[in-house]
Amino acid sequence: MMPSTARSKFKRLLFSGLLVLAAGQTAQADDALKARVGVLRLSSSAPVFIAQDKGYFRDAGLDVELKFFDAAQPIAVATTSGDIDFGVTAFTAGLYNLAGKGTLKVIGGMSREKAGYPLIGYFASNNAYAAGLKTPKDLAGKRIAVTQVGSSFHYSIGLLADKYGFKLADVKVLPLQSLSNVAAALKGETVDAALLPASAARKLMDDGGTKLLGWVGDETPWQLGAVFASPKTLAKKPEVEKLLAALERADREYHDVILAAVAAGRAPINDKTRPLLEIIAKYTNLPLEQVVGNCAYIDPDGKIDVKNVANQIEWLQAQGFVDKGVTVDAILAKDFVQPD
């Protein structure tokens, strides 16, 4: 048995060692670069939630604070104003106009509309459905709610019009400013139809408050989401590289674990997928059973479909939503973007 004096000395050494370890950990935490990231509570931001919850940002040397919004365009504005350091959300006309003025740059890709991966859906009010609105091509001439003019939802309607040969001018687009307002209008029968992310519409569908007409990814695939930052943030190159490295780690895990398992638009719940699905459920405030049908496609390497982004800009310019001088080259931070 160890003598009492030796035991006392051992305890003092052990305590001193623990103090040194704790101090080192505190110093490491203090040394972490602080970053505010703006997102929506949608599955299209799944890698952000995974990187935050599993400590990938922390491992990369970042102390990340997530700030949540209810529409995409305000995230671009907040990035420009400095209220947040990075934005992760859908492309919008407002984002392109700000980027065209040099107040923010795209640094990476996020969600995509892709067949087989439900993300944004076309939804009909019950009355409109009963009156014959049964498929996406029937949306011509209808009153359709979106969050904002020039939003990803608006662009999706434009792609649909091009596909089925009807004029966008024949559709009455109603910008209601937020996802919650759009869902309320659909439920209240004040519009014929709406475009909503699956996660925002799931409860409405389950409660019988709307009818699903189809998914944008099945009709017109396109690059929906991006990661972007202001020039002030981009000047801190190590910080940007750390964020992108953490996101790419989460992108790959999300792709290989969840997206690889998706069948018929749904991810299975098993020992492998459950931990990540539970993280997404936690940040989107959805039951696990609803998350499995909302798994947005995301490139495993964080790449971006630059050709499609150029098409978006041209379409939005043709509608008068984006300034004519904006080009795809002008909005990309080429030091960071990986084109697909």
Side-chain angles (χ1 to χ4, degrees), residues 158-180:
L159 291 177
L160 193 74
D162 290 344
K163 178 177 179 177
Y164 289 112
F166 62 84
K167 294 180 180 178
L168 187 61
D170 293 338
V171 174
K172 187 173 183 181
V173 176
L174 302 171
L176 301 183
Q177 306 311 314
S178 73
L179 296 173
S180 53

Side-chain angles (χ1 to χ4, degrees), residues 76-152:
V77 174
T79 304
T80 295
S81 69
D83 289 341
I84 56 177
D85 302 297
F86 299 94
V88 182
T89 191
F91 283 109
T92 64
L95 187 155
Y96 286 128
N97 282 323
L98 290 169
K101 292 180 174 64
T103 59
L104 61 80
K105 295 282 186 181
V106 173
I107 59 175
M110 191 51 67
S111 58
R112 297 188 187 191
E113 286 288 2
K114 185 170 180 173
Y117 299 90
L119 183 49
I120 296 175
Y122 314 96
F123 298 93
S125 69
N126 288 327
N127 287 345
Y129 188 85
L133 178 53
K134 305 290 187 181
T135 69
K137 66 182 178 182
D138 299 328
L139 287 169
K142 300 298 188 292
R143 297 168 302 155
I144 307 176
V146 299
T147 50
Q148 289 151 339
V149 169
S151 65
S152 57

Side-chain angles (χ1 to χ4, degrees), residues 6 20 42 56 87 98 115 172 192 200-201 229 238 253-254 282 293 310 328 336:
V20 171
L42 301 175
Y56 297 166
L98 290 169
K172 187 173 183 181
D192 299 315
E253 184 174 6
Y254 172 73
K282 171 183 172 182
V328 68
F336 305 106

